[in-house]
Amino acid sequence: MSFWTDGEDIADQAAPDGPIETRWERRKFSAKLVNPANRRKLTVIVIGTGLAGGSAAATLAEAGYKVRSYCYQDSPRRAHSIAAQGGINAAKNYRNDGDSVYRLFYDTVKGGDFRARESNVYRLAEVSVNIIDQCVAQGVPFAREYGGLLDNRSFGGTQVSRTFYARGQTGQQLLLGAYQAMERQIGLGNIEMFARHEMLELVIVDGKARGVVVRDLVTGEITTDLADAVVLASGGYGNVFFLSTNAKGCNVTASWRAHRKGALFANPCYTQIHPTCIPESGTHQSKLTLMSESLRNDGRVWVPLARGDSRKPGDIPEDERDYYLERIYPSFGNLVPRDIASRAAKNVCDEGRGVGPGGLGVYLDFADAIGRLGQPAVEAKYGNLFEMYQRITGEDPYEVPMRIYPAVHYTMGGLWVDYDLQSTIPGLFVIGEANFSDHGANRLGASALMQGLADGYFVLPNTLNNYLASGPFEKISPDNEEVVAARKQVTDRLDKLLSVNGDRTVDSFHRELGHIMWEYCGMERTEEGLTKAIGLIRGLREEFWTRVKVPGAGAELNQNLEKAGRVADFFELGELMCIDALHRAESAGGHFRAESQTPDGEAMRHDDEFGYVAAWEFGETPTLHKEKLDFEYVHPSTRSYK
Ligand SMILES: Cc1cc2nc3c(=O)[nH]c(=O)nc-3n(C[C@H](O)[C@H](O)[C@H](O)COP(=O)(O)OP(=O)(O)OC[C@H]3O[C@@H](n4cnc5c(N)ncnc54)[C@H](O)[C@@H]3O)c2cc1C
């Protein structure tokens, strides 16, 4: 029995051709404009206030559109983007170390294991330089060098220093910039902000996205909001694994509701497992903590040479240590990309050379850096990360090496969008981590913030015009049949969740789903394991709908109800992720199929068979549509960091 059906191939109709350096310029010029007087008559709903949604809402409102913005946190500036630590890439070449727009483009296409669109990635690299100017103008306090220029550090998968940072709080500082820009427009009355509201359904009228159904998380009230276009900036879905570095609230519901209504979901199996996280410490845990990749600029990764060596790290002499990243990948050393570093950590732990409880850890050691630069210099760069590590583990990383292990961190998959960032539902645009574009099968460090802000400040404000130029669209009555039906879908589903009245908590289901996903759709996947996982997920989902207990009522603050809805969507997404991983019988980036590896254990792609984006259509049996990827500039080659 097949878990999917094959559908027709698709193509990105908005993609420009011609020389790659001119594509974005030409697309902007060919896009229709909306005259300023008409913009006031057009309303755009933006779901999400992270770096993607916050920057988009502020920019669209600044341009004169009416914006209605939603987030489930109590303030827009608590969006998950605030957690980002290490930095944001831009091809400024301040270091004069050989960087350029073209090199950032090249690194990103290669880093994504040749599974991203060249046009999109080139545009991202091009726009990256504008982001830094914009943020500096807003007052974002990027780190500076002695001479006053903005400082840079390196992230994985590159041999230049192009990462701009604000200590270990880059996301927070960037988000404060976007939030201030939003607040200005809220003050001017151009953005109406709805915090603590969760979108639970998309409203489609006459084939176009025209609104959303939301639940007020404080009162439980259900309302419908109608507009001329809808933008989803609702973030990633790493929490399908239960344990991840993502904020606990991160979920897939907004995207999944759109998917169920016709938006294709692309490459769901591409998950990023980040190599440097604090290892799991027990079954009580509900979240994992990232130690920023920036630490690999100065920290050296190692394990004991001998299996089962349980001596304290300080007692293991140099010649009995294996600095395995430096050994296997001498060109990039500790700064290999995340997928490579994570798999290498797994391999040495599988060999029995892991450290710490259960042997699931490797050392990240700063002794060399402290000796070379002095503790104050290390503290100035990474102080808050060291403090966080010490608070969580009780160990002082200035004295003993950090212990780290890979954990789920980011999702490259997401709703399929064209070059204009429009989904397969007209009028529904998707930006930031919620879409699938730009990172291919593996995202390089410091490029999520770059993509979110590129989409929100620069790309969407240019492409949405083209769609809105044919508006304002016909006014829709709240009594419209399709609007009423969308609202009923929400109330029926909430009633169903509340009425099961079983004996198992939502969290226990979520945790079990997470275990299945990690075991069979995590760092290494096999045909057998994925097939098993699909069966297990289906069984668990059935059990969920007969045994879940959601206490309380709908018309009140009810966090169990919120979680139940999100976990119900995670079940469906988890199954699709396994199906996508099963169909892709190759290894690429974050998707490592054990059956497809080189003799020395590296990922082996099969470009002839799988050189495409897998875009899935919702259905009892999902339908696969392929978008073929062409590489005119960066020709697919074996990705080597040796
Ligand atoms: C610990 C950590 C550190 C990181 N560090 C870096 C880094 O140094 N550099 C880098 O480039 N990347 C980093 N990343 C990745 C990066 O932070 C994220 O990919 C990025 O911030 C996502 O931004 P976003 O705007 O797309 O989504 P988010 O910031 O996740 O925002 C999502 C928004 O959508 C809203 N929302 C979601 N669903 C709904 C709904 N149904 N209804 C209403 N509102 C909804 C939320 O309330 C929120 O406002 C890091 C990630 C983590 C977890």
Side-chain angles (χ1 to χ4, degrees), residues 295-346:
L295 294 169
R296 285 195 276 144
N297 273 269
D298 288 303
R300 297 180 70 196
V301 177
W302 65 276
V303 288
L305 263 179
R307 281 161 207 257
D309 186 339
S310 57
R311 285 176 291 175
K312 288 192 183 136
D315 295 339
I316 303 180
E318 274 297 310
D319 61 352
E320 291 179 42
R321 298 177 177 192
D322 181 11
Y323 293 90
Y324 58 89
L325 291 179
E326 297 170 31
R327 173 174 58 80
I328 309 173
Y329 306 102
S331 300
F332 283 71
N334 293 296
L335 282 172
V336 288
R338 294 174 179 179
D339 54 337
I340 309 264
S342 291
R343 259 199 318 280
K346 180 180 185 304

Side-chain angles (χ1 to χ4, degrees), residues 47-54 70-73 76 78-89 155 170-171 197-200 214 233-236 245-247 250-251 253-254 287 290 292 338 409-410 431-434 443-450 452:
I47 302 295
T49 58
L51 285 174
Y70 289 86
C71 70
Y72 57 71
Q73 289 90 353
R78 285 186 196 270
H80 163 64
S81 290
I82 204 162
Q85 300 172 350
I88 175 167
N89 288 330
F155 263 55
T170 315
H197 279 71
E198 182 166 24
M199 168 193 159
L200 295 179
V214 294
S234 45
T245 62
N246 291 8
C250 292
N251 68 89
T253 289
K287 178 166 179 1
L290 174 79
S292 167
R338 294 174 179 179
H409 180 63
Y410 181 88
I431 60 176
E433 193 173 339
R443 175 177 72 80
L444 291 182
S447 55
L449 302 185
M450 170 172 72

Side-chain angles (χ1 to χ4, degrees), residues 71-231:
C71 70
Y72 57 71
Q73 289 90 353
D74 57 355
S75 156
R77 74 182 176 87
R78 285 186 196 270
H80 163 64
S81 290
I82 204 162
Q85 300 172 350
I88 175 167
N89 288 330
K92 284 282 198 188
N93 194 27
Y94 282 169
R95 283 289 175 97
N96 201 17
D97 56 359
D99 201 10
S100 62
V101 166
Y102 201 89
R103 190 176 296 282
L104 175 52
F105 158 63
Y106 172 90
D107 286 346
T108 308
V109 172
K110 176 183 167 194
D113 223 349
F114 305 94
R115 291 291 175 264
R117 285 186 199 136
E118 282 191 331
S119 296
N120 286 55
V121 178
Y122 192 90
R123 175 177 65 190
L124 178 65
E126 198 179 336
V127 164
S128 70
V129 295
N130 305 120
I131 296 172
I132 301 302
D133 297 343
Q134 168 98 1
C135 295
V136 168
Q138 285 171 346
V140 171
F142 284 119
R144 286 178 187 268
E145 296 176 333
Y146 176 73
L149 270 186
L150 299 186
D151 195 15
N152 287 141
R153 55 189 176 197
S154 301
F155 263 55
T158 67
Q159 288 174 313
V160 295
S161 288
R162 62 160 74 98
T163 306
F164 293 76
Y165 65 101
R167 255 179 132 206
Q169 306 177 340
T170 315
Q172 179 171 349
Q173 299 305 334
L174 292 171
L175 191 59
L176 287 172
Y179 166 74
Q180 285 174 168
M182 264 186 93
E183 280 296 312
R184 179 180 129 75
Q185 289 300 327
I186 292 172
L188 291 171
N190 297 327
I191 298 181
E192 211 173 332
M193 181 69 230
F194 300 89
R196 302 195 82 175
H197 279 71
E198 182 166 24
M199 168 193 159
L200 295 179
E201 199 50 84
L202 179 71
V203 176
I204 300 181
V205 179
D206 294 334
K208 294 195 182 91
R210 294 301 306 269
V212 291
V213 181
V214 294
R215 178 166 178 269
D216 180 327
L217 298 180
V218 180
T219 63
E221 191 191 358
I222 307 290
T223 47
T224 306
D225 192 3
L226 300 171
D228 294 285
V230 177
V231 177

